[in-house]
Amino acid sequence: QVQLVESGGGLVQAGGSLRLSCAASGRTFRTRVMGWFRQAPGKEHEFVAAKSWSGSTTYYADSVKGLFTISRDSAKNTIYPQMNSLKPEDTAVYYCAATQTLMVGNDYPRLGNYKDWGQGTQVTVSS
């Protein structure tokens, strides 16, 4: 099993920034991709970004491209989404997810491809 723990959420004013983290533990050697999804109240999960375990491939949703970046610390088995220029519509619970499946670009946003999920961290952006 892979355990995922998110942190870094909180309150921020519009235009501000947050850096989230997702720390993986357990059988991480099986992990191929780690991704981020978000869920606003009353809405379905929305893909945000993903990064291959090797760090060679990064995929961003069009809605966050150029605003969010995701980096990796292999020594800590942790990925870090850096979220800049936050807007109230970015308010959501952000979830880290992982999969053992090798994927190409158009596979990254697919919710069903991810099998392990964290508990989520709340991001609230005030106007």
Side-chain angles (χ1 to χ4, degrees):
Q1 297 290 325
V2 175
Q3 291 79 47
L4 304 171
V5 179
E6 304 98 330
S7 63
L11 297 171
V12 64
Q13 291 186 324
S17 300
L18 283 175
R19 190 192 193 206
L20 306 182
S21 68
C22 175
S25 61
R27 301 176 67 84
T28 57
F29 63 90
R30 296 181 179 270
T31 301
R32 297 292 180 266
V33 176
M34 296 181 68
W36 284 87
F37 293 78
R38 63 187 180 185
Q39 186 178 34
K43 296 185 178 180
E44 298 293 324
H45 287 78
E46 177 190 11
F47 175 76
V48 177
K51 196 174 190 69
S52 63
W53 190 247
S54 68
S56 62
T57 302
T58 308
Y59 190 93
Y60 297 97
D62 289 341
S63 61
V64 305
K65 194 173 298 182
L67 302 174
F68 293 1
T69 59
I70 184 167
S71 60
R72 176 181 65 95
D73 186 336
S74 60
K76 298 180 179 180
N77 293 326
T78 302
I79 56 170
Y80 303 92
Q82 176 67 46
M83 309 190 300
N84 301 318
S85 301
L86 286 164
K87 303 177 289 292
E89 49 263 44
D90 294 318
T91 295
V93 177
Y94 284 70
Y95 295 92
C96 180
T99 181
Q100 300 172 13
T101 303
L102 286 169
M103 300 195 293
V104 296
N106 62 352
D107 295 326
Y108 281 74
R110 298 184 183 275
L111 182 72
N113 285 341
Y114 297 85
K115 300 298 185 289
D116 299 302
W117 293 81
Q119 295 296 110
T121 185
Q122 176 71 48
V123 172
T124 302
V125 184
S126 62
S127 60

